[in-house]
Amino acid sequence: MADLVPFLARLTGRIGAAVLGLALGLSAARAAEPSATLAAVKARGVLVCGMQGDNPPFSAPDGKGEWHGMDVTSCRALAAAVLGDPDRAQIRVVTGMTRFPALQSGEVDVLFGSTTWVTTRETSLGLSFAATNYYSGQGFLVRKSLGVSHVKQLDGASICVPPGSTTELILQDWFRQNRLTFRPVIIDDPNQIQATFLSGRCDAYTRDMTGLSGFRARQGNPDEFVVLPEVISMEPLGAFVRKGDVGWFDIVRWTQFALVAAEQLGVSSRNIDEAMKSASPDVRRLLGVEGEVGPSMGLGKDWAAKAIRAVGNYGEAWERDIRPMGLERGLNRLWDQGGLQFSPPLR
């Protein structure tokens, strides 16, 4: 019996070592697994991002045809990280009805389009939500002349809403829960739905609060419209990718995290050259001065540095893309400033 104890200890140790070796081997094999989407993007030399066409402050072309907005920034950062050039980002316009088929078919490499993270989009559509670039919530816009100051006063109202969206589902749930009714005016095209509201066919227009504020601000007579104070949901918006390409999922997710990490660490597009000399291990790993974060995803060591040089950190993007609309950061402040934005450690 005395000899059995050390024998069992040796056997347990060998089994443990074998299991650990197998786990490390599988982990290494998974890490080395190439991304088919990354290979396609590199071969094409262009990153194709799906997003809405007239959707400030997320995505909209200016008078020269140049795109601006938070979704555009995320796309350009990804192009810089993967291809070394933010100008290799190509915007493909999608609608609420065409956005998911465009991603599923490979027409776009990544989908933004103010798209909300919900269960069935992952479990039923074969997609994965990679990263949040904006936290928002659903609200309502009405004409001041309607005399409405709260959502519950919209009982029986006609409401413009896009089809097949979380906006439509949340609207139905909220009105049912509050034992109210509404008449939906369902239109897929974003420009058409806005024109329909402006024409007076709808009493109210519903979508995320940020988009409503941007739409109101662009009107020649913004004071004639009121964004109602209630927010009836809390929604993380951001990037979707196709399921099955884990490597591409990692790249899209960690590129967004890198912009947030840069703000957390005080690294910006203006001071990045000086930051390269930092003694901080976190800063050095972020910028690729040391560590193997980029190569672990099939990218260069300076993948994040290229993204930050191209678009700035998350705070810079906010000041450029969102602040001109007069919107406060709110939930999109960094975690240590009372918000929800944070980056896990890059190491």
Side-chain angles (χ1 to χ4, degrees):
M1 185 67 179
D3 293 336
L4 184 58
V5 173
F7 169 75
L8 290 175
R10 289 195 300 272
L11 180 61
T12 302
R14 288 170 184 166
I15 292 173
V19 171
L20 177 61
L22 178 60
L24 291 174
L26 290 173
S27 176
R30 179 184 175 280
E33 186 177 300
S35 163
T37 306
L38 175 61
V41 169
K42 286 185 174 181
R44 190 192 311 129
V46 172
L47 170 73
V48 184
C49 299
M51 59 188 72
Q52 294 184 43
D54 185 18
N55 187 31
F58 299 106
S59 54
D62 61 18
K64 299 179 181 178
E66 297 178 356
W67 287 81
H68 303 279
M70 185 61 84
D71 284 346
V72 178
T73 287
S74 293
C75 179
R76 287 174 57 80
L78 188 57
V82 172
L83 299 172
D85 183 357
D87 292 335
R88 291 193 180 186
Q90 181 183 102
I91 308 303
R92 186 72 51 83
V93 175
V94 295
T95 69
M97 295 299 288
T98 65
R99 55 185 169 170
F100 298 124
L103 181 59
Q104 291 164 330
S105 68
E107 180 184 343
V108 301
D109 302 308
V110 57
L111 172 66
F112 292 100
S114 303
T115 304
T116 306
W117 186 10
V118 298
T119 310
T120 51
R121 288 174 178 171
E122 292 199 322
T123 59
S124 301
L125 299 183
L127 307 177
S128 292
F129 185 83
T132 301
N133 66 359
Y134 198 94
Y135 290 97
S136 189
Q138 186 171 331
F140 297 83
L141 181 72
V142 299
R143 288 184 178 275
K144 184 180 289 185
S145 59
L146 190 64
V148 169
S149 56
H150 295 282
V151 178
K152 288 188 177 181
Q153 293 174 284
L154 291 176
D155 189 18
S158 58
I159 301 179
C160 279
V161 59
S165 63
T166 56
T167 303
E168 182 184 10
L169 297 176
I170 291 168
L171 180 66
Q172 293 170 348
D173 286 348
W174 192 89
F175 270 74
R176 184 177 65 179
Q177 178 182 339
N178 287 277
R179 298 182 180 180
L180 304 175
T181 63
F182 71 97
R183 291 178 288 113
V185 179
I186 300 176
I187 302 172
D188 186 33
D189 181 75
N191 292 319
Q192 186 60 42
I193 200 170
Q194 293 170 4
T196 300
F197 169 70
L198 292 174
S199 74
R201 282 185 55 200
C202 305
D203 297 314
Y205 173 29
T206 185
R207 58 163 298 175
D208 65 271
M209 290 288 279
T210 305
L212 291 178
S213 298
F215 172 69
R216 177 182 178 275
R218 287 186 296 121
Q219 304 309 307
N221 50 349
D223 290 340
E224 293 184 13
F225 301 90
V226 177
V227 177
L228 299 182
E230 293 90 354
V231 180
I232 65 171
S233 69
M234 204 293 281
E235 301 177 58
L237 310 178
F240 275 87
V241 297
R242 291 178 292 277
K243 269 189 177 176
D245 193 336
V246 177
W248 185 242
F249 173 88
D250 288 341
I251 290 168
V252 174
R253 178 173 60 174
W254 285 99
T255 299
Q256 186 64 41
F257 278 146
L259 303 185
V260 177
E263 185 181 12
Q264 290 177 179
L265 295 169
V267 178
S268 71
S269 60
R270 297 183 296 274
N271 68 9
I272 191 169
D273 289 329
E274 188 63 28
M276 289 283 187
K277 306 170 189 175
S278 173
S280 165
D282 288 331
V283 171
R284 293 173 68 83
R285 282 191 292 265
L286 171 68
L287 301 180
V289 177
E290 62 182 55
E292 297 293 323
V293 175
S296 74
M297 297 185 289
L299 304 178
K301 286 191 173 186
D302 60 348
W303 65 285
K306 288 178 178 177
I308 297 162
R309 284 187 190 278
V311 304
N313 63 35
Y314 186 83
E316 288 179 278
W318 182 277
E319 292 300 316
R320 179 181 62 247
D321 299 330
I322 310 294
R323 181 71 67 187
M325 296 289 180
L327 299 169
E328 297 299 322
R329 279 187 69 167
L331 294 174
N332 292 286
R333 294 191 297 265
L334 294 180
W335 68 273
D336 57 354
Q337 298 170 11
L340 296 177
Q341 290 288 354
F342 80 101
S343 172
L346 284 88
R347 59 180 60 177

